[in-house]
Each structure stands twice: as C-alpha cells, then as structure tokens.
Amino acid sequence: MNILVTAPTAMELEPFITKNNNKTEVLITGVGGAFTMYQLMKHFEHNSYDLVIQAGICGSYDVQKFALGDVVIVDKDIFGDVGIIENGEYSSMAEIGFSHEEDKVFGDGWMINDHPLLPILSLPKASNLSMNTITDNKEHEDIFYNKYKPDVEAMEGAAFHYVCLKNNQPFLQLRAVSNAVGERDKSMWQIMGAIQNLTTAIYDTIDELIKNKAYATGN
C-alpha cells in the first residue's frame, strides 16, 4: 500500500517516525494553511497515494464531548477565517459573492470527506474549524463557533481537505485533542498524551486499510 502520513510539525509525528523505520512515507508541511497547501501541491505534482493521512493535535470546543486525549476523525472541515467580520458577525467569501463559481468542492462551505473507511473506523467523527490565527479572545471565538458549531479546531485541516479533493486524492484527517479551545495556559494542555494516542490511531487506521484494499481507491 502506498500511504503518506503528513503533519504540521515533526513533534506531532515523533513517536510514529521512531517506530516507522521508513516503511511509510512522511511529510512535514509546516504550521498553518498556506504552508500546508504549498507543500501538498508540490508533493502531489510527482506522487499519488492509496491514502494520505493528515495527523495532528487540535483544540476541543466541548471537552465533555471530546475530552483531552481523545482522537477524532474529521469528516468535514471549513476555512474559518477567510471572510469578513462586520457588526460582530462573520460572513464567508461565498456568502458575500466572492467564491469561485467553478469551485465545486465547497458546497455550503464545508468540505466533506466521504472516504468509505470513515464508517468502518471506530474513531468518533468530528467537524473541524480551520483557523490560521489562534486567540484567547472569547468574543472573537464565539463569532466563529456560533456561525459553524464545530467540534474541534485546528489550523491546517481545511487546506488539507481542499488540496486532496481538488486532486481526487483519497484522504483521512486524524486529530487528537490536546486542549480546550481558547485555553492558553499550556499547563492545562495534554500534548504528549494526545500525541501518543494519535500515534496508535495512525497505525490502527493503516492496519484497517490494509485489511481491505478495496478502501484504497476511496470508492
């Protein structure tokens, strides 16, 4: 099986890389949507895969639903900060008429992953809001939460979904909850525990794919 595992930082994949022994290709893209999009597009110019997995940590909007250390599989993602804020309300580019009319991957703004492996995996499904700016401003945070009601937040997911959908590349996004959204006190975070759980989830996902190669095509 030809599989690529990608992450924003080497730290998020360190346990996987240590155990991997170069058996699975790894790509570190950098933090944020712009770096992710560039690195993936550059990589896909000369490579295609049975599956691309984006793995990383994330924040949870509701730690009662998705607690610290939980791993989720993102079934839909959205660019949360490409738009306009006026009078305390957010409008996306599509809503104000500036989206590309031929770009069909968005629909209502959410980019949905319909890979057949999603319902097979035991991981809970979650919606992700992709934000390139992290903030502890509760008012600002509420603007986006009230708009989209996402489960988790990360920086690179929407760029990953967008590039994979545009390239017809089968993909999965795995995220491990390291913190509550808006919590900037790092002593309250559980980064290493989240990364360990994420590593297990990556291996379980690859094993599940190998068990049934029909899933490899994404059909």
Side-chain angles (χ1 to χ4, degrees):
M1 302 295 292
N2 192 17
I3 298 170
L4 173 68
V5 178
T6 180
T9 67
M11 177 189 70
E12 288 160 294
L13 282 186
E14 184 175 358
F16 176 79
I17 293 171
T18 299
K19 290 179 61 179
N20 185 39
N21 293 323
N22 297 318
K23 293 179 181 178
T24 301
E25 188 175 349
V26 169
L27 174 67
I28 305 301
T29 60
V31 175
F35 294 110
T36 297
M37 195 169 289
Y38 171 76
Q39 292 292 343
L40 287 173
M41 288 298 295
K42 182 179 177 182
H43 207 72
F44 288 167
E45 285 181 3
H46 306 290
N47 301 278
S48 61
Y49 300 92
D50 297 314
L51 181 69
V52 179
I53 298 173
Q54 185 188 62
I57 58 177
C58 68
S60 173
Y61 278 96
D62 183 354
V63 293
Q64 299 301 315
K65 182 177 182 181
F66 294 120
L68 272 60
D70 286 353
V71 180
V72 301
I73 184 165
V74 175
D75 56 1
K76 62 179 184 176
D77 210 313
I78 194 165
F79 289 104
D81 51 3
V82 183
I84 296 174
I85 297 176
E86 291 181 322
N87 301 317
E89 293 188 358
Y90 174 79
S91 297
S92 68
M93 288 291 106
E95 290 171 318
I96 61 177
F98 283 103
S99 64
H100 197 295
E101 63 181 15
E102 295 180 357
D103 202 335
K104 304 300 183 184
V105 306
F106 283 108
D108 61 355
W110 289 100
M111 290 172 286
I112 297 171
N113 188 1
D114 59 0
H115 194 288
L117 195 61
L118 263 79
I120 304 300
L121 296 172
S122 61
L123 295 171
K125 312 308 181 289
S127 59
N128 181 63
L129 176 68
S130 287
M131 300 288 290
N132 280 288
T133 301
I134 304 300
T135 179
D136 61 358
N137 185 318
K138 187 66 166 59
E139 181 179 352
H140 192 262
E141 175 188 312
D142 287 346
I143 288 173
F144 294 99
Y145 181 78
N146 293 334
K147 176 77 173 182
Y148 294 117
K149 301 295 191 296
D151 295 310
V152 297
E153 179 182 302
M155 298 177 73
E156 305 82 12
F160 174 69
H161 277 229
Y162 183 78
V163 173
C164 287
L165 287 168
K166 294 291 282 185
N167 284 274
N168 297 313
Q169 170 62 64
F171 68 97
L172 295 173
Q173 182 187 169
L174 304 180
R175 292 283 174 175
V177 177
S178 62
N179 59 283
V181 171
E183 178 58 71
R184 304 312 303 158
D185 180 357
K186 298 295 180 66
S187 70
M188 302 295 291
W189 292 28
Q190 294 183 13
I191 293 177
M192 297 316 298
I195 290 174
Q196 290 293 341
N197 293 344
L198 180 65
T199 302
T200 299
I202 295 170
Y203 277 109
D204 288 347
T205 300
I206 292 173
D207 287 346
E208 194 62 53
L209 182 68
I210 292 172
K211 283 179 186 177
N212 191 333
K213 293 184 179 180
Y215 292 135
T217 63
N219 297 318

